Amino acid sequence: MRRITPAGRVRSVIDVPDELAASQEEFNGEAGRAFIAGLPDLTAEFLERWELTLDGRPMHGVAALVLPVVRADDTRAVLKLQLLDEESEGEPVALRVWDGDRAVRLLDHDETTGTMLLERLDATRMLSHLGDTREAVLVIARLLAHLTSVPAPPGMRRLGDIAQAMLDRAPRALNHVPDQETRRLVTDCAAAVREVADDPGDRLLHWDLHDENVLASDRAPWLAIDPKPLAGDPGFELWPALANRFDADEIRWRFDAMTDVLALDRARARAWTLGRLLQNTLWDVEDGRPPDPQQLEIARRLRNHPG
């Protein structure tokens, strides 16, 4: 019989990373503080419920605590604990649709808390470690071509709603952008989104497939993790790979290569990609930050791209 880590011991050995606590404080306020305070008990609950044994050092991103574990049948897995919100609630839905095909496999899920049990991939082999940045872009494009080939299931957040909300917020936000050239650029991005907003698409989107959200495994060269899924146009997927390991001179090559692999209409893909700059700028302005210069440069390079 397997030894299950006692709940009391879990509470004494789980140290919540300071960086995770800080990011929850910054982005989620009181809800984030409550989530962090409850993590030891939440961990103990699911180790016991799903008969898991801790099997390594905790990992974390901006939003989630990830614990290597072993199941009662000796399957290696990870326990992912995160605050349930509009982004994370769609993750298990998308993973079930993809069912391990080009994406990490979902093994179990608790709907009430958003806690997930996932297959364990190789966190030491991340796509961001691949030296050939062009090949890394093509890896992401090939994954996206497959992941976005299926329609989004009912109830998924919809790009059309997000686009309209961005357009509604843009005029007020622009009043807080003092630089005239930046204001003109963001205005052009909003105009591009307005041209395509009436046809936002219905594909299942990952939305956040950057090169640290692609891991290797024994069963596949590369698999996607950590989706923040939407229903929409695959052109809205390109931004993270354009921004990875930023190189201004590579932006247009990356855009052309990805639209080729995904067989996208370039004018529409450009419009939705400029929509990501609009989205990011709105977040920056509303949080009191200046727009990021590298992100602005991506939009500049694409705004008049003849492709």
Side-chain angles (χ1 to χ4, degrees):
M1 178 179 294
R2 292 194 58 82
R3 177 185 60 80
I4 306 302
T5 307
R9 181 169 178 267
V10 169
R11 294 185 182 93
S12 68
V13 301
I14 292 297
D15 293 322
V16 178
D18 291 340
E19 297 87 350
L20 178 60
S23 64
Q24 285 292 334
E25 170 81 25
E26 177 181 358
F27 294 114
N28 296 310
E30 181 57 38
R33 289 191 293 272
F35 169 70
I36 294 297
L39 264 179
D41 285 340
L42 189 65
T43 301
E45 175 186 345
F46 282 96
L47 289 177
E48 182 175 359
R49 183 193 302 188
W50 288 339
E51 298 186 334
L52 306 172
T53 302
L54 290 172
D55 186 44
R57 297 175 61 84
M59 299 172 286
H60 69 91
V62 173
L65 181 66
V66 179
L67 301 173
V69 294
V70 179
R71 303 177 85 181
D73 63 0
D74 288 326
T75 301
R76 298 165 74 241
V78 294
L79 182 66
K80 183 175 183 180
L81 305 115
Q82 60 189 349
L83 185 65
L84 189 61
D85 58 21
E86 66 174 2
E87 291 187 354
S88 61
E89 69 180 0
E91 182 173 358
V93 180
L95 293 179
R96 285 197 182 100
V97 171
W98 292 321
D99 193 26
D101 192 357
R102 310 306 203 282
V104 65
R105 181 170 284 118
L106 179 68
L107 304 177
D108 213 334
H109 169 238
D110 178 68
E111 187 172 346
T112 301
T113 65
T115 302
M116 292 183 292
L117 189 66
L118 303 165
E119 73 171 310
R120 196 188 307 184
L121 307 183
D122 189 347
T124 69
R125 291 190 291 156
M126 192 178 290
L127 186 60
S128 60
H129 301 158
L130 188 66
D132 185 340
T133 56
R134 287 194 170 190
E135 178 59 24
V137 168
L138 293 174
V139 167
I140 290 177
R142 295 179 196 119
L143 288 173
L144 288 174
H146 190 83
L147 297 175
T148 63
S149 67
V150 296
M156 192 66 66
R157 289 188 306 154
R158 307 200 69 81
L159 177 56
D161 297 332
I162 292 170
Q164 187 57 56
M166 290 193 298
L167 293 173
D168 291 344
R169 290 154 53 204
R172 181 174 180 179
L174 284 168
N175 292 331
H176 298 278
V177 179
D179 178 71
Q180 184 176 356
E181 195 277 334
T182 299
R183 195 161 56 246
R184 185 181 302 114
L185 178 62
V186 177
T187 299
D188 289 347
C189 290
V193 172
R194 195 171 290 111
E195 291 181 1
V196 294
D198 61 345
D199 185 16
D202 67 349
R203 299 292 93 183
L204 180 55
L205 308 184
H206 182 289
W207 185 79
D208 195 28
L209 199 58
H210 54 77
D211 59 7
E212 293 185 356
N213 273 345
V214 180
L215 300 181
S217 80
D218 292 337
R219 69 175 180 86
W222 300 107
L223 294 171
I225 65 168
D226 200 24
K228 305 291 185 287
L230 303 172
D233 190 302
F236 203 61
E237 292 274 42
L238 308 185
W239 185 272
L242 299 177
N244 285 161
R245 290 182 273 179
F246 177 79
D247 185 337
D249 293 334
E250 285 288 284
I251 291 167
R252 289 184 174 183
W253 182 91
R254 293 178 183 186
F255 177 81
D256 290 348
M258 294 186 77
T259 51
D260 281 348
V261 172
L262 276 83
L264 299 180
D265 177 271
R266 281 195 179 149
R268 289 185 56 81
R270 182 168 54 246
W272 283 120
T273 302
L274 294 175
R276 292 295 285 266
L277 184 278
L278 176 63
Q279 185 178 56
N280 293 341
T281 299
L282 289 171
W283 286 336
D284 286 339
V285 169
E286 290 165 0
D287 289 341
R289 299 187 302 267
D292 181 87
Q294 291 185 355
Q295 298 198 14
L296 294 174
E297 185 61 22
I298 293 173
R300 287 190 195 97
R301 298 271 176 146
L302 292 181
R303 177 173 51 179
N304 300 315
H305 182 31

